[in-house]
């Protein structure tokens, strides 16, 4: 059948874009972005801004004073807030703007709690405010305007110390009667063209900029998403890091160009302190980083960071730590924590573009059973829908979706279907007709519905910034609206940057309208709103009972509240495997723990060695999904020969065995904001050697992973941090105690180390899906410290509902080992939950052989336990304790 015009253009674009690596000419550099170019032309040390101290107003919750630009006499309003939890908020806006400037909504979970500010000193050129304990002060210098946060004699951070504050005020166009004639016009201020696209800029120049100086700091991290190193690089002489959500096909590695998501949070770390800067702005943003230690020795380090945004206002949260965990807590108090996923979402996901039909899905599902490989989710990409009309099923290939879903449910498995936010313009399509009739589409600059090309052809784009639109979208996931859907179907939001194939930089025109706001103001928020509305829909369809699972490609600060992200359209190359580690580490540092990369690479076809290594890495990253492009050969795990199938099977089974540990970590991050996958320096903040390490990482605090990411590698050099700590090296045969630093050779499996002093819970009876393992027994792996003690946690609930939160239905146990005694204690005595799981086995490393082992139950009864001791590796195994996982008990070694 001949392709329609509607479907032909996306296909042509796809073929052109997928034939080679990213065409960088499709995306702007700073020099091609007028506001970035103009802001970067400003020279340090020439600030025109002066604080008018006589305008100071101080209340219990905030301080305000005016700033004046002595060049153009435009006044700004400075607001300072001291926030609970050792944070400071700085806001700068026009005192009397021509019209309101955009202030980002819906990202903060609530209005931050303020604490009292007090003036402790003042003279004609400065003002000193108390920030609370530890002699923390905020110093406001009047001319030039500058802010310094100090603790005792130490300057922690300075704002505008380089004089790069720049605030382009809103003004009348030069061709209007109200134009003053005092402003210098530069190219691109009132209209800007990139390739064939013209941005009308009806509000004229509106960019903002502010610099931050960090004395004593050499290492900064964060501001994802970039395919680059964990430690951010000096951008002197190159483009700044760009934050602007874009659909980038087969992105390049090691450059600062924008990718799919943007989180404007930067973390600084030194042996003295960890701090964070949260720049709350959803417009296109560039971040310059300059270090005075580049190419120098014996220099007291300082890092300077400059933020530049196209519109909005300056609203920045300074998180003063002082420890890494404090910064994570502070940021979580502002934007919320990672959503707590159902257990099955932490298991293995099988995906490709596309599984062809229901029979294909059934065949792949059976293939996992035939090869004894567990999995929980199979995924359907865009071809499953009828003509790429989302919320529908292709009538030829998926005529009985409920039959397909029921077949998966019978095996306790699930399905994810894609629902993208571009809607096919088709008068026969219910979703389009309803959005148009409700006037819910984004508008073009002339007020008509904005339309652009995406997978279905000509498409409209729902205005997800509108809460009424989001509520309607959520309602469409109801079972009586989304025909063919069932409770074991979950959702994937792709292309939500938003992607517009024929738009500027493959995205929406900046002068498109979301109500009264331009798209330029809200761009980086769009993907967050899509995922939020989708997650709300999955919750709503279950009557508020079931936890949702939604994967998104585009994201912003706060997206962690709504589900998972992945690193986008990577390639089957060793470099892409390697870069997945710092990319996910960077996301975890800024609150988004549920991160993963397409196992095997989306574009191109991996060698068997690369695919095996990628499975070994993916099994130890939070989101574990294989995915592949439609033009690649099939690559289900059993298609690369029996030997490689066995290796992939083992990697996936390791993931399933460790699901109790992963689940407990996600419960913890949901409660506290601490990252699941974390750099070594988070747990070893005084060890300078860890500050730039990105080829190994921690899962929680107790597992250290050093993946094999080099072709042909026969070994790795693993750095084991900590002074006098013991690490246990996981092999197929057991565990081996090792000193803090050692060179290891390992061929077939990923090196994983358990920290001495920890207890990790596993389920070693691996079944075909995580749901089949819910009531299975636990095995405790105890790795004592050099002092002979260890501790850990066990968390259990129903694995899929909100009952843990709304009804306190969960089990949370503290496990401790000391003086040859292992015990389990209840951490949540107010919770009510029963489990059928029990403790099947206990494995203790690095000890000596006891003469007897006794189990003491909570009711006072005692019994002797069978045990065996392996003297070669000093492993003691206690068999069949048989106690319920929710019970109090003690095991004594004699």
């Amino acid at each position: 059948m001949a392709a329609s015009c509607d479907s032909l253009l996306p296909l042509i674009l796809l073929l052109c874009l997928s034939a080679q690596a990213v065409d960088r000419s499709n995306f702007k550099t700073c020099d091609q972005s007028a506001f970035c170019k103009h802001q970067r032309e400003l020279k340090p040390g020439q600030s025109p801004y002066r604080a008018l101290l006589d305008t100071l107003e101080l209340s219990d919750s905030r301080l305000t004073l005016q700033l004046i630009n002595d060049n153009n006499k435009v006044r700004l309003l400075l607001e300072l807030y001291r926030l609970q939890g050792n944070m400071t908020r700085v806001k700068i806006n026009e005192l009397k703007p021509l019209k309101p400037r955009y202030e980002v909504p819906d990202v903060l979970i609530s209005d931050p709690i303020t604490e009292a500010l007090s003036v402790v000193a003042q003279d004609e050129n400065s003002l000193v405010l108390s920030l609370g304990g530890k002699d923390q002060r905020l110093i406001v210098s009047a001319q030039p305007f500058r802010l310094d946060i100090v603790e005792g004699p130490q300057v922690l951070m300075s704002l505008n110390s380089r004089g790069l504050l720049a605030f382009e005020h809103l003004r009348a166009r030069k061709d209007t009667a109200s134009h003053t004639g005092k402003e210098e016009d530069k190219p691109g201020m009132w209209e800007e063209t990139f390739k064939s696209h013209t941005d009308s800029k009806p509000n004229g120049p509106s960019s903002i900029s502010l610099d931050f100086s960090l004395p004593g700091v050499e290492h900064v991290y964060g501001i994802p998403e970039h395919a680059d190193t964990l430690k951010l690089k000096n951008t002197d002489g190159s483009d700044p890091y760009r934050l602007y959500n874009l659909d980038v096909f087969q992105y390049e590695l090691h450059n600062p160009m924008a990718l799919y998501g943007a989180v404007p949070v930067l973390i600084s770390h030194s042996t003295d302190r960890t701090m964070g800067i949260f720049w709350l702005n959803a417009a296109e943003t560039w971040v310059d980083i300059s270090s005075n230690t580049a190419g120098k020795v014996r220099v007291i380090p300082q890092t300077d960071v400059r933020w530049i945004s196209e519109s909005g206002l300056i609203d920045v949260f300074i998180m003063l730590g002082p420890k890494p965990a404090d910064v994570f807590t502070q940021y979580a108090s502002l934007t919320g924590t990672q959503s707590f996923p159902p257990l099955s979402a932490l298991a293995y996901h099988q995906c490709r573009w596309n599984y062809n039909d229901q029979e294909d899905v059934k065949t792949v599902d059976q293939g996992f059973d035939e090869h004894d490989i567990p999995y929980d989710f199979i995924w359907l990409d865009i071809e499953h829908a009828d003509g790429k009309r989302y919320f529908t099923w292709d009538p030829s290939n998926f005529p009985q979706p409920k039959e397909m879903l029921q077949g998966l449910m019978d095996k306790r498995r699930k399905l994810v279907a894609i629902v993208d936010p571009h809607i096919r313009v088709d008068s026969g399509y219910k979703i389009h007709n309803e959005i148009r009739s409700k006037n819910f589409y984004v508008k073009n600059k002339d007020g008509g519905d904005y339309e652009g090309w995406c997978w279905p052809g000509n498409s409209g784009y729902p205005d997800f910034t509108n809460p009424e639109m989001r509520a309607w979208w959520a309602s469409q996931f109801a079972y009586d609206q989304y025909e063919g859907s069932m409770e074991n179907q979950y959702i994937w939001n792709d292309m939500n940057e938003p992607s517009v194939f024929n738009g500027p930089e493959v995205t929406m025109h900046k002068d498109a309208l979301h109500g009264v706001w331009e798209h330029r103001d809200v761009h980086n928020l769009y993907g967050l709103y899509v995922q939020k509305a989708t997650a709300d829909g999955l919750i709503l369809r279950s009557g508020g009972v079931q936890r949702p699972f939604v994967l998104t490609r585009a994201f912003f600060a706060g997206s962690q509240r709504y589900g998972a992200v992945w690193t986008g359209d990577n390639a089957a190359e060793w470099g892409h495997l390697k870069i997945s580690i710092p990319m996910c580490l960077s996301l975890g540092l800024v609150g988004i723990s549920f991160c993963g990369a397409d196992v095997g690479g989306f574009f191109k076809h991996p060698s068997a060695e690369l695919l095996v290594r990628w499975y070994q890495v993916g099994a130890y990253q939070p989101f574990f999904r294989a995915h592949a492009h439609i033009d690649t050969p099939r690559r289900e795990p059993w298609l690369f020969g029996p030997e490689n199938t066995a290796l992939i099977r083992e990697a996936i089974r390791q993931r399933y065995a460790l699901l109790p540990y992963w689940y407990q970590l996600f419960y913890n991050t949901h409660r506290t904001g601490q990252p699941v996958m974390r750099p070594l320096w988070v747990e070893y903040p005084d060890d300078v050697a860890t500050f730039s390490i990105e080829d190994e990482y921690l899962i929680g605090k107790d597992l250290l992973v050093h993946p094999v990411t080099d072709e042909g590698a026969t070994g790795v050099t693993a750095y084991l941090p900590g002074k006098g700590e013991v690490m246990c090296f996981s092999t197929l045969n057991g565990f081996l105690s090792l000193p803090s630093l050692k060179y290891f050779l390992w061929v077939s499996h990923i090196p994983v180390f358990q920290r001495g002093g920890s207890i990790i819970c596993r389920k070693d009876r691996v079944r075909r899906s995580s749901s089949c393992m819910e009531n299975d027994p636990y095995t405790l792996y105890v790795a004592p410290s050099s002092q002979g003690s260890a501790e850990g946690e066990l968390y259990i609930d129903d694995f899929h509902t909100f009952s843990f939160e709304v009804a306190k239905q969960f089990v949370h146990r503290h496990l401790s080992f000391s003086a040859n005694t292992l015990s389990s204690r209840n951490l949540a005595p107010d919770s009510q939950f029963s489990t059928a799981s029990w403790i099947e086995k206990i494995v203790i490393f690095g000890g000596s052989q006891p003469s007897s082992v006794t189990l003491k139950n909570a009711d006072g009864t005692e019994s002797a336990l069978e045990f065996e001791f392996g003297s070669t590796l000093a492993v003691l195994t206690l068999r069949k304790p048989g106690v319920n996982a929710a019970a109090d008990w003690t095991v004594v070694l004699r």
Side-chain angles (χ1 to χ4, degrees):
M1 183 171 65
S4 69
C5 292
D6 277 359
S7 61
L8 188 58
L9 179 58
L11 179 61
I12 294 171
L13 285 167
L14 169 66
L15 293 174
C16 292
L17 289 166
S18 63
Q20 56 187 10
V22 61
D23 182 355
R24 295 191 67 179
S25 69
N26 285 327
F27 304 101
K28 290 182 180 180
T29 64
C30 180
D31 278 346
Q32 293 169 314
S33 181
F35 80 92
C36 183
K37 177 179 173 65
H38 297 157
Q39 288 275 12
R40 234 182 175 200
E41 289 171 349
L42 295 178
K43 303 301 181 186
Q46 300 176 13
S47 177
Y49 291 96
R50 174 166 51 94
L52 303 176
L53 298 184
D54 59 350
T55 64
L56 181 148
E57 294 183 11
L58 181 63
S59 68
D60 289 341
S61 62
R62 72 169 185 167
L63 175 146
T64 65
L65 57 82
Q66 295 177 25
L67 310 178
I68 189 168
N69 183 329
D70 283 329
N71 290 343
N72 59 20
K73 306 308 178 186
V74 173
R75 292 196 177 196
L76 307 177
L77 180 67
L78 169 70
E79 299 175 68
L80 299 174
Y81 300 83
R82 175 186 165 202
L83 302 182
Q84 188 179 82
N86 203 21
M87 294 182 287
T88 299
R89 185 179 192 178
V90 179
K91 293 181 72 173
I92 302 176
N93 197 357
E94 292 184 56
L95 181 64
K96 296 180 179 180
L98 193 64
K99 59 168 65 175
R101 297 179 70 114
Y102 188 70
E103 196 164 348
V104 176
D106 300 319
V107 168
L108 301 179
I109 55 175
S110 62
D111 290 334
I113 299 173
T114 59
E115 296 182 338
L117 278 169
S118 60
V119 177
V120 296
Q122 183 174 359
D123 60 29
E124 62 184 12
N125 194 53
S126 66
L127 177 69
V128 182
L129 304 168
S130 172
L131 291 178
K134 292 190 176 181
D135 297 321
Q136 282 189 359
R137 301 286 187 264
L138 175 59
I139 302 172
V140 183
S141 299
Q143 190 167 11
F145 165 67
R146 169 177 170 152
L147 297 176
D148 292 283
I149 298 176
V150 301
E151 187 172 275
Q154 182 184 8
V155 178
L156 302 181
M157 185 183 302
S158 300
L159 285 68
N160 202 41
S161 62
R162 301 175 69 212
L164 294 174
L165 167 65
F167 204 108
E168 291 187 318
H169 63 282
L170 299 178
R171 66 203 75 172
R173 295 184 69 97
K174 64 181 179 180
D175 55 357
T176 64
S178 56
H179 180 66
T180 64
K182 295 180 180 179
E183 304 296 337
E184 176 188 358
D185 283 349
K186 296 180 179 179
M189 289 177 67
W190 293 98
E191 186 177 89
E192 185 174 357
T193 299
F194 178 68
K195 302 186 84 168
S196 62
H197 301 282
T198 297
D199 177 5
S200 64
K201 290 193 170 181
N203 294 315
S206 59
S207 68
I208 55 175
S209 168
L210 184 61
D211 64 277
F212 299 75
S213 294
L214 303 166
V217 170
E218 193 174 356
H219 295 80
V220 290
Y221 311 90
I223 57 169
E225 183 178 34
H226 302 97
D228 210 346
T229 54
L230 176 63
K231 178 192 173 186
L232 298 174
K233 296 174 181 174
N234 192 318
T235 60
D236 292 342
S238 67
D239 257 12
Y241 285 96
R242 191 183 187 199
L243 297 174
Y244 191 60
N245 294 359
L246 292 172
D247 179 1
V248 182
F249 279 74
Q250 198 172 333
Y251 48 83
E252 290 182 6
L253 308 184
H254 300 294
N255 69 57
M257 68 186 296
L259 290 179
Y260 312 95
V263 184
V265 176
L266 180 140
I267 308 290
S268 70
H269 179 70
S270 69
T271 54
D272 294 330
R273 196 177 200 97
T274 307
M275 297 185 293
I277 300 170
F278 173 27
W279 178 267
L280 182 52
N281 190 294
E284 179 185 351
T285 297
W286 301 77
V287 185
D288 253 326
I289 296 171
S290 179
S291 172
N292 69 341
T293 58
K296 301 176 183 177
V297 294
R298 297 179 182 175
V299 173
I300 298 175
Q302 175 169 308
T303 296
D304 297 312
V305 180
R306 185 187 182 197
W307 301 78
I308 305 168
S309 292
E310 185 174 15
S311 64
L313 49 83
I314 293 173
D315 190 2
V316 60
F317 296 83
I318 298 167
M319 299 169 284
L320 294 172
K323 298 178 180 178
D326 297 324
V327 173
F328 303 140
T329 299
Q330 289 156 0
Y331 181 63
S333 74
L334 297 172
T335 66
T337 61
Q338 176 68 58
S339 62
F340 189 24
L343 174 68
S344 56
L346 299 177
Y348 175 63
H349 301 249
Q350 181 67 34
C351 182
R352 78 171 278 111
W353 177 23
N354 202 86
Y355 286 117
N356 300 321
D357 49 35
Q358 285 183 220
E359 188 60 32
D360 197 7
V361 170
K362 184 177 181 180
T363 300
V364 172
D365 176 70
Q366 291 173 342
F368 277 89
D369 292 335
E370 291 167 4
H371 294 89
D372 194 23
I373 300 173
Y375 90 99
D376 270 62
F377 281 87
I378 192 164
W379 291 52
L380 296 179
D381 210 318
I382 55 177
E383 312 301 333
H384 86 277
D386 182 10
K388 302 179 180 64
R389 299 171 181 88
Y390 306 112
F391 298 99
T392 71
W393 304 86
D394 183 284
S396 298
N397 295 326
F398 295 92
Q400 300 293 331
K402 284 192 174 182
E403 179 183 300
M404 174 182 64
L405 286 162
Q406 186 62 52
L408 293 170
M409 186 179 288
D410 290 344
K411 293 185 176 182
R412 306 187 73 177
R413 287 172 174 154
K414 301 170 178 65
L415 179 140
V416 171
I418 199 166
V419 176
D420 286 349
H422 49 262
I423 302 301
R424 179 168 176 158
V425 177
D426 176 354
S427 61
Y429 180 24
K430 182 189 77 167
I431 296 293
H432 163 69
N433 289 338
E434 288 200 31
I435 295 174
R436 174 162 286 180
S437 69
K438 295 176 183 294
N439 202 30
F440 282 163
Y441 277 127
V442 176
K443 306 302 178 186
N444 60 37
K445 65 183 178 65
D446 299 315
D449 287 348
Y450 179 91
E451 294 181 359
W453 286 90
C454 210
W455 296 126
N458 195 35
S459 302
Y461 291 78
D463 184 0
F464 285 90
T465 68
N466 181 346
E468 293 181 6
M469 165 61 211
R470 295 198 300 272
W472 176 85
W473 181 268
S475 73
Q476 298 308 295
F477 292 95
Y479 299 122
D480 61 350
Q481 295 295 319
Y482 191 168
E483 294 183 10
S485 66
M486 290 177 56
E487 57 268 29
N488 65 329
Q489 179 187 331
Y490 296 81
I491 302 298
W492 171 18
N493 295 147
D494 197 0
M495 316 298 284
N496 54 335
E497 292 75 26
S499 178
V500 184
F501 290 161
N502 60 337
E505 300 192 89
V506 200
T507 193
M508 188 172 286
H509 292 73
K510 288 182 176 179
D511 54 9
L513 294 173
H514 301 258
V516 300
W517 302 109
E518 287 189 281
H519 185 71
R520 85 181 72 250
D521 299 312
V522 307
H523 176 84
N524 287 341
L525 273 176
Y526 191 86
L528 175 147
Y529 278 135
V530 175
Q531 188 185 24
K532 170 179 165 51
T534 302
D536 288 347
L538 297 191
I539 295 170
L540 187 66
R541 76 176 186 181
S542 73
V545 173
Q546 300 291 334
R547 284 178 255 165
F549 171 68
V550 181
L551 179 71
T552 181
R553 190 169 71 176
F555 51 84
F556 189 65
S559 287
Q560 67 270 14
R561 304 197 297 265
Y562 307 116
V565 306
W566 91 107
T567 62
D569 295 342
N570 60 0
E573 298 172 356
W574 289 92
H576 278 265
L577 169 60
K578 192 186 298 282
I579 208 72
S580 71
I581 298 172
M583 290 181 76
C584 280
L585 287 173
S586 296
L587 282 161
L589 290 175
V590 298
I592 301 178
S593 274
F594 206 176
C595 169
D598 287 344
V599 169
F602 179 66
F603 289 107
K604 304 183 179 180
H605 188 56
S607 66
E609 180 191 9
L610 176 57
L611 185 65
V612 167
R613 291 303 192 195
W614 213 316
Y615 269 99
Q616 292 171 349
V617 175
Y620 288 91
Q621 291 180 346
F623 177 54
F624 184 22
R625 180 186 76 154
H627 187 35
H629 189 277
I630 195 170
D631 291 335
T632 62
R634 295 291 283 258
R635 61 167 88 140
E636 281 73 43
W638 51 85
L639 297 179
F640 290 76
E643 181 179 346
N644 292 309
T645 299
L647 293 172
I648 293 171
R649 178 190 301 116
E650 175 58 28
I652 296 175
R653 289 176 66 87
Q654 285 186 35
R655 174 58 166 239
Y656 276 73
L658 279 169
L659 280 176
Y661 182 65
W662 283 103
Y663 196 60
Q664 178 256 312
L665 289 176
F666 268 87
Y667 174 68
N668 184 64
T669 194
H670 177 65
R671 289 173 53 244
T672 68
Q674 306 303 305
V676 169
M677 178 178 173
R678 56 189 74 162
L680 270 60
W681 61 260
V682 168
E683 294 298 328
Y684 302 91
D686 298 324
D687 187 347
V688 177
T690 67
F691 292 3
S692 297
I693 290 178
E694 63 178 30
D695 59 353
E696 63 183 61
Y697 53 91
L698 295 165
I699 301 296
K701 63 180 180 179
D702 294 335
L703 283 184
L704 185 151
V705 186
H706 192 306
V708 180
T709 58
D710 292 312
E711 185 175 12
T714 58
V716 296
T717 301
Y719 180 75
L720 304 182
K723 296 178 180 178
E725 286 196 8
V726 175
M727 287 283 184
C728 294
F729 185 28
S730 172
T731 73
L732 291 180
N733 301 314
F735 285 69
L736 178 66
S737 296
L738 296 165
S740 293
L741 183 62
K742 189 80 173 182
Y743 182 80
F744 305 101
L745 292 177
W746 199 244
V747 178
S748 298
H749 294 86
I750 182 170
V752 180
F753 305 82
Q754 182 174 343
R755 182 182 62 84
S758 67
I759 301 173
I760 288 179
C761 302
R762 294 169 46 124
K763 286 191 173 183
D764 288 338
R765 298 187 187 186
V766 175
R767 304 186 191 274
R768 67 184 175 210
S769 75
S770 66
S771 295
C772 294
M773 299 167 60
E774 287 179 358
N775 293 319
D776 280 352
Y778 291 88
T779 296
L780 310 185
Y781 287 80
V782 183
S785 67
S786 55
Q787 288 76 40
S789 62
E791 63 179 0
E793 295 180 22
L794 173 60
Y795 177 82
I796 306 169
D797 59 20
D798 64 19
F799 302 114
H800 61 94
T801 77
F802 287 105
S803 294
F804 78 97
E805 208 160 45
V806 298
K808 291 189 174 181
Q809 293 183 1
F810 62 89
V811 171
H812 195 191
R813 309 293 302 181
H814 179 260
L815 307 169
S816 63
F817 180 75
S818 180
N820 285 332
T821 299
L822 176 65
S823 62
S824 174
R825 176 174 58 87
N826 193 356
L827 284 174
D830 294 337
S831 66
Q832 300 293 326
F833 189 73
S834 60
T835 177
S837 295
W838 71 100
I839 307 301
E840 179 178 42
K841 186 167 60 175
I842 299 169
V843 181
I844 303 173
F845 307 110
S848 56
Q849 182 171 356
S851 59
S852 66
V853 179
T854 303
L855 170 67
K856 297 182 178 181
N857 295 298
D859 60 5
T861 59
E862 298 184 5
S863 58
L865 291 184
E866 299 177 8
F867 65 91
E868 63 183 51
F869 182 75
S871 58
T872 303
L873 297 176
V875 177
L876 174 65
T877 302
L878 314 181
R879 301 194 180 280
K880 300 180 181 179
V883 289
N884 187 273
D888 291 342
W889 53 265
T890 301
V891 168
V892 180
L893 313 180
R894 293 186 175 90

